[in-house]
Amino acid sequence: MDHFLYRDGQLMAEDVNIAEIAAQVGTPFYVYSTATLLRHFKLFDDALSGMDHLVCFAVKSLSNVAVLKLLGDAGAGMDVVSGGEYLRAKAAGVSGDKIVFSGIGKTREEMRLALEGGIRQFNVESEPEMEVLSQVALSLNTVAPITVRVNPDVDAKTHAKISTGKKEDKFGIPISRAREVYAMAAKLRGLKVIGIDVHIGSQLTELEPFRLAYRKVAELTEQLRSDGHDITRLDLGGGLGIPYARDNNAPPLPREYGALIKEEVGHLGCEIEIEPGRLISGNAGLLVAKVIYVKSGEDREFLIVDAAMNDLIRPAMYDAWHDIVPVIEPVAGVDQTPYDVVGPICESGDTFAKGRMLPPLDPDALVAFRSAGAYSAVMSSEYNSRPLIPEVLVNGDQFAVIRRRPTFEDMINRDTIPEWM
Ligand SMILES: *Cc1c(COP(=O)(O)O)cnc(C)c1O
């Protein structure tokens, strides 16, 4: 459920008319709904009620500082994968003891940053990383709390580019070697082992892979405890999927996911962390664009819009589907036409949808791409020298620009011409 609905024939973001935002901010832009973000966070928080838990928002899905502050103020922790994301979480006012540091390639500088600024735990992904983290912690006269990310060799049944829990994926250490690796961690004086971490992939639409993975984590918890490790925290990752197409089968609900967690690991008495990104932010955002031209090809109609693959790369990168809706509500029963919806970039990959059924649209009509809150603005670039597009946050009947559109000058002045020229 989200808060982007038609009212009196106009698409709204909560109580704000989207056409009104477009008139003030210009197109294209991203718009996010406060009520939807908070609602989705609360669904997870409630799903784990009765267990000691922390819901850590996966910052990489939507990293605007205003969004992080909104969720942080509501009680969320943060899951970060870089020094930049760590600093964003801190800039949003989240305290270090609610920030978890994930990722396979943490540098010494990033480790130092987090150890000095405060960190809940590092999710360590390899033996070399363990050794470096121990050294960095000792050099700062401190001890780094860690979990080890284990790879449970479970098929998440999701898109190959976002599957992370099979043995051929680059993430974590094989669960079969976990006891050996924990024994090594226990010997490193700069580390304190506190738990286990697992994350098997993103956009999962079934619960079974989670069940298989968490069952293996429960087994490992008992083994590690019998080996003498003090396992008090389980980080169970993110990955619960969202419906991208309205007529799709809906993925499992956070409530069902929470019940599964209780069933599989509830008896262990551990503090539970989860790291959802997409389910919190995905359906809390729209990309709004304007039709530039309607072009008739030999056997198809092209809708050329002012947003492009640099603004939203998911269709080009993952063959992702985004529902596309006109901002002015179509008259009931109006004939629909198949359009290829494309951006202006000089690549055939700059195609958002092929043969998409839409009511007839004219130049200057506004369209909204739904489910564009997660992995959308954060993956944008300035390819074709198209400045990054603004982000807008709506709350009830108010809205604010939370990242402004750079001017062409801002963009060009980041380059410098060497003195010798
Ligand atoms: C990407 C990622 C997440 C979030 O995944 P979603 O599918 O957005 O819920 C959580 N944890 C880790 C380690 C990740 O890499």
Side-chain angles (χ1 to χ4, degrees):
M1 207 214 102
D2 61 48
H3 291 77
F4 302 111
L5 302 169
Y6 289 111
R7 193 183 302 160
D8 301 328
Q10 301 270 331
L11 188 63
M12 310 289 287
E14 300 189 16
D15 298 323
V16 179
N17 192 325
I18 285 180
E20 176 63 33
I21 304 175
Q24 287 197 31
V25 175
T27 55
F29 62 91
Y30 280 103
V31 56
Y32 310 121
S33 154
T34 295
T36 311
L37 288 162
L38 290 179
R39 177 172 180 277
H40 290 164
F41 164 67
K42 195 162 180 310
L43 287 177
F44 279 112
D45 205 31
D46 291 348
L48 296 181
S49 66
M51 305 181 85
D52 189 8
H53 72 273
L54 184 66
V55 177
C56 295
F57 177 59
V59 171
K60 75 174 191 279
S61 73
L62 174 55
S63 61
N64 189 290
V65 174
V67 171
L68 303 186
K69 176 159 171 50
L70 175 72
L71 293 169
D73 287 353
M78 299 286 150
D79 172 52
V80 305
V81 293
S82 70
E85 287 191 356
Y86 176 83
L87 291 173
R88 281 181 176 275
K90 291 302 285 276
V94 179
S95 77
D97 61 6
K98 291 178 94 175
I99 304 176
V100 171
F101 207 137
S102 300
I104 64 164
K106 301 175 200 81
T107 64
R108 284 172 191 268
E109 291 70 31
E110 289 173 321
M111 292 170 177
R112 206 170 294 129
L113 187 72
L115 284 167
E116 286 174 344
I119 191 79
R120 181 177 178 80
Q121 97 228 7
F122 292 88
N123 294 333
V124 173
E125 300 223 13
S126 67
E127 289 133 302
E129 182 193 340
M130 249 162 48
E131 290 189 33
V132 169
L133 180 59
S134 177
Q135 286 167 15
V136 174
L138 289 174
S139 76
L140 297 171
N141 285 317
T142 185
V143 173
I146 66 151
T147 70
V148 176
R149 177 165 175 183
V150 294
N151 183 330
D153 192 20
V154 166
D155 185 355
K157 304 204 176 91
T158 185
H159 192 284
K161 286 185 189 162
I162 50 177
S163 169
T164 59
K166 282 190 284 183
K167 63 173 183 287
E168 60 268 33
D169 296 324
K170 68 181 177 183
F171 300 95
I173 56 130
I175 199 160
S176 53
R177 283 188 41 238
R179 294 173 85 169
E180 198 187 308
V181 173
Y182 271 86
M184 176 185 163
K187 289 200 195 102
L188 291 168
R189 287 185 306 114
L191 306 184
K192 176 171 166 40
V193 170
I194 58 165
I196 306 174
D197 171 47
V198 69
H199 170 75
I200 56 175
S202 197
Q203 187 52 18
L204 271 73
T205 52
E206 294 171 35
L207 286 181
E208 209 45 32
F210 288 116
R211 188 181 294 284
L212 294 174
Y214 296 168
R215 198 164 283 175
K216 290 189 180 187
V217 168
E219 237 173 76
L220 179 62
T221 304
E222 314 256 21
Q223 288 172 352
L224 292 177
R225 282 177 172 170
S226 74
D227 292 347
H229 302 285
D230 194 14
I231 304 297
T232 58
R233 187 179 290 166
L234 300 179
D235 182 334
L236 300 175
L240 195 57
I242 60 170
Y244 275 96
R246 214 168 312 172
D247 48 4
N248 235 10
N249 286 343
L253 302 170
R255 176 165 42 77
E256 300 166 303
Y257 173 68
L260 177 151
I261 289 175
K262 282 179 200 172
E263 272 167 49
E264 297 299 332
V265 302
H267 59 287
L268 296 166
C270 287
E271 181 180 11
I272 301 299
E273 276 167 13
I274 54 171
E275 304 168 341
R278 190 188 310 268
L279 203 144
I280 292 178
S281 54
N283 280 326
L286 302 180
L287 167 63
V288 179
K290 190 162 75 180
V291 176
I292 309 176
Y293 297 115
V294 183
K295 171 174 163 175
S296 295
E298 207 149 281
D299 60 350
R300 59 189 66 215
E301 295 275 296
F302 293 100
L303 205 60
I304 304 172
V305 299
D306 64 358
M309 64 189 286
N310 69 300
D311 305 310
L312 177 66
I313 203 171
R314 298 190 67 262
M317 188 142 104
Y318 309 116
D319 303 313
W321 172 285
H322 287 267
D323 277 347
I324 303 172
V325 296
V327 167
I328 305 289
E329 189 174 20
V331 182
V334 71
D335 275 348
Q336 306 229 326
T337 329
Y339 285 111
D340 282 11
V341 182
V342 302
I345 286 183
C346 315
E347 288 201 24
S348 300
D350 188 22
T351 297
F352 291 115
K354 288 201 158 148
R356 188 65 65 88
M357 299 306 289
L358 287 166
L361 288 163
D362 293 320
D364 291 336
L366 296 173
V367 293
F369 295 77
R370 296 176 58 86
S371 312
Y375 306 106
S376 297
V378 286
M379 286 194 177
S380 56
S381 75
E382 290 183 336
Y383 186 40
N384 275 214
S385 290
R386 299 165 45 87
L388 289 180
I389 66 175
E391 294 178 287
V392 173
L393 183 65
V394 166
N395 180 22
D397 61 3
Q398 4 170 34
F399 74 91
V401 174
I402 56 172
R403 186 179 73 192
R404 72 174 178 84
R405 190 191 308 276
T407 63
F408 287 116
E409 232 181 2
D410 291 336
M411 182 178 68
I412 292 165
N413 287 344
R414 271 189 289 176
D415 297 0
T416 47
I417 297 175
E419 268 179 26
W420 67 74
M421 282 182 190

